[in-house]
PDB file of all heavy atoms in Angstrom:
ATOM      1  N   ARG A 246     227.156 170.517  76.717  1.00 38.00           N
ATOM      2  CA  ARG A 246     226.236 171.599  76.485  1.00 38.00           C
ATOM      3  C   ARG A 246     226.107 171.775  74.983  1.00 38.00           C
ATOM      4  O   ARG A 246     224.965 171.983  74.532  1.00 38.00           O
ATOM      5  CB  ARG A 246     226.935 172.801  77.033  1.00 38.00           C
ATOM      6  CG  ARG A 246     226.039 174.004  77.177  1.00 38.00           C
ATOM      7  CD  ARG A 246     226.574 175.115  78.127  1.00 38.00           C
ATOM      8  NE  ARG A 246     227.900 175.524  77.830  1.00 38.00           N
ATOM      9  CZ  ARG A 246     228.990 175.458  78.491  1.00 38.00           C
ATOM     10  NH1 ARG A 246     228.951 174.954  79.690  1.00 38.00           N
ATOM     11  NH2 ARG A 246     230.110 175.972  78.182  1.00 38.00           N
ATOM     12  N   PRO A 353     190.894 181.842  36.220  1.00 92.00           N
ATOM     13  CA  PRO A 353     191.392 180.833  37.099  1.00 92.00           C
ATOM     14  C   PRO A 353     192.454 179.946  36.445  1.00 92.00           C
ATOM     15  O   PRO A 353     193.289 179.450  37.111  1.00 92.00           O
ATOM     16  CB  PRO A 353     190.089 180.060  37.554  1.00 92.00           C
ATOM     17  CG  PRO A 353     189.043 180.984  37.352  1.00 92.00           C
ATOM     18  CD  PRO A 353     189.358 181.902  36.171  1.00 92.00           C
ATOM     19  N   ALA A 389     192.323 169.862  39.865  1.00 97.00           N
ATOM     20  CA  ALA A 389     192.715 169.398  38.479  1.00 97.00           C
ATOM     21  C   ALA A 389     193.986 169.949  38.132  1.00 97.00           C
ATOM     22  O   ALA A 389     194.813 169.235  37.451  1.00 97.00           O
ATOM     23  CB  ALA A 389     191.592 169.719  37.497  1.00 97.00           C
ATOM     24  N   GLU A 486     212.843 175.274  53.635  1.00 98.00           N
ATOM     25  CA  GLU A 486     213.048 175.687  55.016  1.00 98.00           C
ATOM     26  C   GLU A 486     212.164 174.875  56.055  1.00 98.00           C
ATOM     27  O   GLU A 486     212.491 174.694  57.208  1.00 98.00           O
ATOM     28  CB  GLU A 486     212.894 177.161  55.278  1.00 98.00           C
ATOM     29  CG  GLU A 486     213.942 178.008  54.514  1.00 98.00           C
ATOM     30  CD  GLU A 486     213.681 179.498  54.524  1.00 98.00           C
ATOM     31  OE1 GLU A 486     213.297 180.014  55.678  1.00 98.00           O
ATOM     32  OE2 GLU A 486     213.932 180.216  53.465  1.00 98.00           O
TER      33      GLU A 486
END
Side-chain angles (χ1 to χ4, degrees):
R246 193 162 61 242
E486 291 175 41

